[in-house]
Amino acid sequence: MTGYISRNHTKKFSNEDYRKWFMNNCIPKFYNPSIHVLFNIGVLLAIIFFHFLRIEEFNQWSFIVMLIMLPVGNLTVTLIHQYPLHKRLKYWSFPYDAHTVQHHRFYTSEHILMNHKRELFVVMFPWFVVLGFATIIQPLFFYIFKILLGANLGHVISGSAACYFVFYEFVHTSNHLPLTHVVYKIPGMKAMRDHHLIHHNPKLMGSYNMGIVFPWFDYIFGTKWKSKDIPPDNINDHFIDLEKYKE
Ligand SMILES: [Zn+2]
Ligand SMILES: [Zn+2]
């Protein structure tokens, strides 16, 4: 119930006040953004090297599977974003609290920029999620695919999944950087930033523009916001969906 309480407690705050409150009360004093980035990316790169260096034969099937992992990764992230991150699970509210309650309260469509490196605390995945991915989810999926498709393709799939995680962290973090940043020289980055900015509108966040990295499944699922206009950035809209969790 932490998120529920903290969201009600901050209901009267403007976005600016919430940011100040969060920076002073929710980010541990010992938090180091450089270590956070190095840990998340370092662990994911270690997984990528671990698997890709064990591919014994890289043939056309390996290449095809690697390409297929791009839409598979995109679908997985879109669904995770749509459900545990934006629909509160009854017995495990952490994903909802970390994403909807905190990340979306911190960044709205009119205030999407990171002002300080310490804000990476509320932008990147928590280190323990990456650790859980590396030590539980990755090995589990590798052994499942090893049994189903053989070790070679198991390594291709597992390494590609970790690659997609890196893409996610890179694109999502970039979405919160100013448009003058060098990352926007990469083709498509500005379009994904515009896509994500609409998602950060408090009224639209629960239903539209769930795709990160690519917007493919928003087009397929009909969750792409097509209008050129977005509703006013009314902070009270952020609390509408909380009403149904009151009981
Ligand atoms: Zn965001
Ligand atoms: Zn979201």
Side-chain angles (χ1 to χ4, degrees):
M1 296 300 282
T2 326
Y4 180 81
I5 291 163
S6 78
R7 191 145 87 150
N8 268 333
H9 166 67
T10 60
K11 210 167 174 174
K12 59 188 182 296
F13 290 176
S14 66
N15 175 264
E16 203 185 336
D17 289 343
Y18 181 83
R19 282 181 175 222
K20 278 186 200 148
W21 173 81
F22 192 92
M23 295 293 280
N24 290 329
N25 295 282
C26 300
I27 303 179
K29 294 278 176 282
F30 57 81
Y31 174 71
N32 183 316
S34 303
I35 292 175
H36 188 183
V37 175
L38 284 174
F39 180 86
N40 282 17
I41 303 304
V43 167
L44 292 169
L45 288 179
I47 297 171
I48 293 168
F49 280 113
F50 176 87
H51 287 292
F52 283 177
L53 291 176
R54 279 165 179 77
I55 298 172
E56 285 184 355
E57 191 198 347
F58 193 86
N59 53 33
Q60 76 271 29
W61 289 112
S62 319
F63 185 66
I64 290 167
V65 168
M66 213 175 236
L67 285 182
I68 290 172
M69 283 304 289
L70 219 49
V72 168
N74 193 236
L75 174 64
T76 308
V77 169
T78 302
L79 292 176
I80 290 173
H81 191 185
Q82 177 95 57
Y83 293 100
L85 299 191
H86 275 284
K87 307 269 184 297
R88 194 173 187 270
L89 301 177
K90 198 169 181 185
Y91 298 107
W92 190 43
S93 68
F94 169 74
Y96 180 87
D97 291 343
H99 187 75
T100 301
V101 175
Q102 295 182 341
H103 181 68
H104 275 274
R105 184 75 171 85
F106 202 101
Y107 298 107
T108 64
S109 46
E110 289 171 13
H111 302 272
I112 201 169
L113 293 184
M114 267 199 286
N115 293 324
H116 196 283
K117 280 182 186 167
R118 285 178 67 78
E119 293 176 25
L120 284 167
F121 180 86
V122 76
V123 173
M124 294 187 80
F125 267 90
W127 65 272
F128 50 85
V129 172
V130 175
L131 190 65
F133 176 77
T135 57
I136 302 167
I137 298 169
Q138 266 283 322
L140 193 70
F141 275 94
F142 170 67
Y143 282 108
I144 291 171
F145 286 112
K146 186 182 169 189
I147 292 164
L148 293 174
L149 303 168
N152 213 50
L153 284 181
H155 286 304
V156 172
I157 290 169
S158 300
S160 303
C163 277
Y164 195 87
F165 203 151
V166 174
F167 294 159
Y168 171 90
E169 287 284 53
F170 176 71
V171 175
H172 181 236
T173 304
S174 302
N175 288 165
H176 291 277
L177 295 174
L179 285 170
T180 49
H181 198 279
V182 69
V183 292
Y184 289 104
K185 294 201 185 302
I186 301 170
M189 287 295 278
K190 162 94 171 52
M192 277 321 293
R193 198 254 198 186
D194 293 345
H195 188 78
H196 193 59
L197 184 138
I198 290 168
H199 173 67
H200 268 275
N201 180 278
K203 200 169 193 132
L204 307 180
M205 66 176 181
S207 311
Y208 293 98
N209 292 16
M210 295 295 171
I212 310 282
V213 185
F214 303 109
W216 300 330
F217 287 93
D218 284 313
Y219 284 102
I220 293 169
F221 296 152
T223 53
K224 163 86 181 153
W225 182 256
K226 296 207 176 91
S227 168
K228 284 203 169 72
D229 303 316
I230 59 172
D233 204 4
N234 182 351
I235 207 65
N236 291 324
D237 291 331
H238 192 268
F239 300 93
I240 290 170
D241 66 329
L242 184 67
E243 297 304 312
K244 60 178 172 258
Y245 300 116
K246 265 190 172 166
E247 69 279 1

